Structure formats: C-alpha cells, structure tokens
C-alpha cells in the first residue's frame, strides 16, 4: 500500500514561489506540504545559479541565489513544514472536493487545495544513456552538479560536455584535481572566447587533456565506485580512461510533463490563472510563480512572492469554510520565529 500524507494545501515545487507560499499558508494556520522533484529546495536559484547575485529582490540590493533560498528557508523554519523531496508529482484525481496526488515513487497526498509552483517544470540534468549509470550516480562517482570542489582534490576526473559548464568546471578544478580529461563529441567547444583561451593554456601546461571527438560509451568499477570511463570515437575506436569521477554537463531539460495533462487549459509550459486569486480554470487548483500566466505577468521572483500571498488568502475559505478570514498584518500576528503567533 502506498504511503499517504494528509494536508490542507499541497505545494508542488519548492522554488522561491513555493517556499514563500508555504510561509503564507502557515501564517494563515493552514497545514501544507512542500513537494519537489529535486533532492533539494530552491528551484532554479539553487540548481542553476546559487552563486550569482540577484539585484531585484525588494530590500536586498544584492543577494545570491543560495542566500535567497537560505533566507526563505529560515523564514519558514518556525513552522516545521514537512517536505517530500525527490518526488515528482505525476497524477491528480479529485473526489468530493478532496484532491489526491501521486508521486512517481507512489506516495499519495490527500489535500483540500493544490498550489502549483512548478516553475518551468521538473528539471533535471540530461543523463548519458550508459548501462548501470544509476549505480555510479548513487555513490556520487557520476555527478551533474558540483557543490564542493574540495571533493575532487587529488582525484582523476573525466569531464564530459562541450559548453560553458563543462569548460568552466574543468578550468575551476584544474589545480585541484590530479588529472582532468575533457571529453566532447565534436572538435570545437561552444564556450566564451576567454574560457577557450584559458583552456588552450591549461592544455599546454598539461593540466587538462582534451579528448575530442569522443563520446562516453561505458563505465566500469566496483560497488558503484568508478574505475574507468570508456569512450569511443566516430569510427568506433575505444579508449579506457582511469577515473575516480565522471562529471557530465549535457545541459538541463525542463518538463511540465504530467501537470500539462491535468486539463488546466495550459500550454506546454504555462498555466493560465485568474490574477486576483491565482486560481486555475479548475476550482481548488492554483498556480503561482514562473508557471502561472495572465495578462501583464512578469516572470520575476518578486511576482511569485505576491502570487503566493494571493493564492493562500484565496484558499483559506476552502480549508476553513465556516471561519471568516480577517485580514491581519504580520506585525499584529507576532513573530513566528518566537512562536508568539496569536493562537
Ligand atoms: P522554480 O524556481 O523554477 O522552481 C520550480 C520547482 O518545481 C523546481 O524545483 C522543480 O523541480 C519543481 N517541480 C516542477 N514540476 C514538478 C513536479 N511535477 N513535481 C515535483 N516538483 C516539481 N529572477 C529574478 O527575479 N531576478 C533575477 O535576477 C533572476 N536571475 C536569473 C538568472 C538565471 C541564470 C536564471 C536561470 C533565472 C533567473 N531568474 C531571475 C528567474 C527566477 O529564478 C525564476 O523566476 C524563479 O526561480 C521562479 O520561481 P518558481 O518558484 O516559480 O519556480
């Protein structure tokens, strides 16, 4: 039997819009559950640009993607909101004004309202189609994101990909790693001219070996610990490269996927909503952040925050049908961090 979680509001997507929606729901005393396909919160800010400064968050002249997500996480900390990470929501059914959502790991969520804060969909790295790659992913021998460059000190690396990410990481790790083989299926890399010049210098210094045009063809190792990466050229000639890690940068794919089939009159990437409530064409289902669209929509984080507040207020009467919602400022409610919210 599948695991079941019951909640007042399910929030699909723990990007900035979803995280702030969790805050708004909690301030209105509605229970909520944050679900994300990724293993970590923060959506695009954490996955795509943790170190880049953002300049248009109100009252923050400059804040990095990661700092913003940390601050949003701190803001909801007092509410101990449950999270279901690494779960992609796939199916949605409705019965007697209750929604049932099912994730790809067969977890069922029973809820009174749904907030879709799915950005441009569940995105993930494009993975090379290699046999048993999952085993090597589980041990971290194969990676698509790098959080701590110190993991690679003194290690033999194979870095695959022909764009800015592959090149930037090869250059960043060149003094850290014992060796770096940079694999690309074409002769030329598509990257910023300055990076290309730096690559040539690193190749001359013997810090990076360029292995082109080659593709990945197989991985070998024991218990998920990588030992060799096999590569093949266009004529079928194979080479074995000794490696502790394979770092693959083949871009990200985004996929609104299953949500696009829920009958919300959406396009492949966007869901139309009523701007005053963020309700979709289906009562009880709301959409906020990048995924939501209406005339005049601006796809900015600050817009997602405001939509989160509107959706939470619009949902309140569904969760508490017999209680009138008296609008209150947060200043009158007390500090959630000190648990002084009025009971
Ligand atoms: P996202 O951040 O996209 O998060 C959506 C989450 O939903 C993801 O984590 C995804 O895994 C999850 N999800 C999707 N489908 C499912 C599913 N079926 N099941 C479970 N989980 C699912 N904006 C600004 O305002 N200012 C800037 O300066 C700025 N700079 C940017 C720079 C870059 C390089 C990029 C890429 C974007 C930038 N943005 C900026 C845009 C900003 O990041 C987005 O507007 C914002 O992240 C949208 O937030 P969101 O919460 O709507 O969605």
């Amino acid at each position: 039997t599948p695991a079941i979680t019951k909640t007042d509001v399910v929030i699909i997507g723990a990007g900035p819009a979803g995280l702030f929606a969790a805050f708004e729901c909690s301030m209105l005393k509605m229970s909520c559950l944050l679900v994300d396909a990724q293993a970590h919160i923060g959506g695009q800010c954490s996955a795509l640009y943790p170190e880049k400064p953002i300049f248009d968050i109100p009252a923050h002249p400059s804040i990095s993607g990661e700092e913003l997500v940390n601050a949003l996480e701190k803001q909801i900390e007092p509410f101990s909101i449950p999270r279901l990470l690494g779960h992609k929501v796939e199916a949605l059914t409705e019965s007697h004004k209750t929604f049932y959502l099912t994730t790809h790991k067969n977890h069922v969520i029973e809820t009174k309202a749904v907030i879709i804060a799915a950005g441009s969909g569940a995105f993930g790295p494009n993975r090379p189609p290699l046999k048993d790659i999952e085993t090597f992913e589980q041990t971290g021998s194969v990676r698509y994101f790098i959080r701590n460059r110190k993991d690679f000190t003194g290690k033999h690396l194979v870095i695959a990909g022909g764009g800015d990410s592959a090149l930037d990481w090869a250059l960043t790790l060149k003094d850290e790693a014992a060796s770096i083989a940079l694999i690309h299926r074409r002769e030329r890399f598509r990257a910023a001219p300055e990076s290309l010049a730096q690559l040539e210098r690193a190749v001359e210094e013997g810090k990076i070996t360029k292995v082109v045009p080659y593709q990945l063809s197989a991985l070998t190792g024991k218990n998920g610990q990588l030992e060799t990466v096999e590569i093949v050229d266009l004529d079928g000639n194979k080479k074995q490269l000794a490696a502790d890690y394979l770092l693959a940068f083949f871009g990200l794919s985004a996929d609104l996927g299953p949500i696009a089939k829920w009958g919300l009159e959406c396009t492949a990437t966007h869901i139309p909503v009523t701007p005053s409530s963020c309700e979709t064409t289906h009562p009880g289902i709301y959409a906020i952040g990048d995924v939501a669209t209406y005339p005049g929509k601006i796809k900015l984080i600050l817009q997602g925050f405001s939509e989160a507040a509107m959706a939470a207020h619009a949902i309140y009467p569904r969760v508490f049908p017999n209680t009138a919602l008296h609008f209150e400022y947060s200043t009158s409610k007390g500090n959630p961090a000190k648990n002084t919210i009025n009971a």
Side-chain angles (χ1 to χ4, degrees), residues 39-54:
H40 53 86
I41 63 165
Q44 294 176 45
C45 304
S46 305
L48 304 184
Y49 58 103
E51 283 170 14
K52 274 204 170 115
I54 310 169

Side-chain angles (χ1 to χ4, degrees), residues 273-292:
V273 297
T274 305
S276 55
S277 61
C278 289
E279 195 165 30
T280 66
T281 52
H282 191 105
I285 305 182
Y286 299 74
I288 62 170
D290 275 13
V291 77

